[in-house]
């Protein structure tokens, strides 16, 4: 479905890679696709629905793992964390990251820099649309919301503009430390560590979803 190759998108463009352009697909990537990326996927869906009343408007949120546990359920602690945020873990099934997932993604958000490098190494013009989650958050915070299309123009158009703006800022706004862009793996850890990772993911997602939807979180 999309890629934002070096030239970006044009208003006349209706398809990329042969897929329709009326949707915007966010792909969250971690290692096993049973802890971090499921939490991030389902929290993204939850936060968008909170702001817009529904997860729709062409926005699709998915996840996969670079060493994905194909067909596996989400880790029970991850389900608990999602439930504590009020998010729905129902029906989740783990997936191994495939070329088609990268090809069809408009925005890829990874847990770590290693995941980002693995996605980019798959090709498919993924470089400009692949970020670590925390990297994307840092870039989004620097973008003036007034420069983005209004929500009335549709969340898809707004999301595409947000990714272009973030890609343009990369290289100018560097992380204070290498570790600042990492979300560490809680696999096998106690629930308290899962909760801390959940808090990290929530804090990183909040400004991203606000920028995507143009609607701040409910206080």
């Amino acid at each position: 479905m999309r890629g934002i190759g070096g030239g970006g998108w044009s208003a006349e463009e209706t398809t990329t890679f042969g897929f329709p352009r009326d949707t915007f697909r966010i792909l969250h990537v971690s290692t096993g696709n049973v802890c971090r990326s499921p939490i991030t996927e389902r929290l993204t869906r939850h936060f968008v629905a909170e702001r817009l009343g529904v997860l729709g408007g062409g926005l699709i949120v998915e996840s996969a793992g670079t060493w994905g546990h194909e067909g596996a359920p989400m880790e029970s602690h991850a389900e608990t964390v999602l439930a504590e945020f009020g998010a729905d873990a129902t029906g989740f099934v783990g997936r191994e990251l495939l070329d088609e997932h990268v090809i069809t993604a408009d925005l890829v958000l990874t847990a770590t820099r290693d995941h980002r490098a693995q996605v980019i190494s798959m090709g498919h013009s993924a470089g400009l649309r692949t970020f670590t989650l925390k990297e994307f958050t840092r870039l989004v915070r620097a973008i003036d919301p007034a420069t983005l299309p209004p929500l009335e123009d549709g969340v898809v158009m707004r999301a595409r503009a947000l990714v272009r703006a973030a890609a343009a800022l990369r290289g100018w706004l560097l992380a204070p430390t290498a570790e600042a862009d990492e979300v560490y793996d809680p696999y096998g850890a106690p629930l308290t560590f899962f909760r801390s990772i959940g808090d990290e993911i929530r804090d990183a997602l909040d400004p991203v979803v606000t920028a995507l939807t143009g609607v701040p979180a409910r206080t």
Side-chain angles (χ1 to χ4, degrees), residues 2-197:
R2 359 246 159 256
I4 66 175
W9 294 292
S10 66
E12 297 77 22
E13 203 174 6
T14 58
T15 62
T16 302
F17 295 115
F19 292 85
R21 298 283 297 160
D22 57 353
T23 58
F24 185 92
R25 192 177 296 266
I26 301 173
L27 175 66
H28 294 292
V29 175
S30 62
T31 302
N33 194 215
V34 292
C35 299
R36 289 167 291 181
S37 50
I39 291 173
T40 315
E41 173 199 318
R42 294 306 176 96
L43 276 185
T44 302
R45 294 184 185 186
H46 178 65
F47 291 157
V48 171
E50 274 191 330
R51 287 160 168 79
L52 299 182
V54 64
L55 177 60
L59 191 64
I60 299 169
V61 186
E62 302 174 312
S63 63
T66 55
W67 289 87
H69 297 212
E70 187 73 28
M74 191 185 308
E75 282 289 298
S76 61
H77 286 341
E79 289 190 0
T80 298
V81 167
L82 285 171
E84 290 173 350
F85 284 123
D88 185 9
T90 304
F92 180 85
V93 178
R95 304 192 304 174
E96 182 178 356
L97 181 67
L98 302 176
D99 288 282
E100 66 190 67
H101 301 145
V102 177
I103 290 170
T104 60
D106 296 287
L107 172 62
V108 184
L109 296 175
T110 70
T112 69
R113 292 167 296 149
D114 282 346
H115 296 133
R116 182 185 64 195
Q118 289 179 64
V119 171
I120 293 172
S121 73
M122 296 172 72
H124 314 302
S125 303
L128 291 179
R129 53 195 164 94
T130 303
F131 309 78
T132 73
L133 171 62
K134 289 185 176 180
E135 173 192 20
F136 194 66
T137 301
R138 183 174 67 255
L139 299 172
V140 163
R141 288 183 185 277
I143 296 168
D144 182 354
T147 64
L148 300 173
L151 188 59
E152 289 76 12
D153 289 347
V155 69
V156 169
M157 183 176 294
R158 186 178 177 94
R160 291 179 188 153
L162 184 67
V163 175
R164 288 198 301 269
L169 286 173
R170 184 156 46 189
W172 294 93
L173 295 174
L174 301 179
T177 65
E179 291 72 24
D181 281 344
E182 306 282 290
V183 176
Y184 291 107
D185 193 355
Y187 186 76
L191 179 57
T192 52
F193 189 64
F194 269 82
R195 284 178 172 139
S196 70
I197 293 300

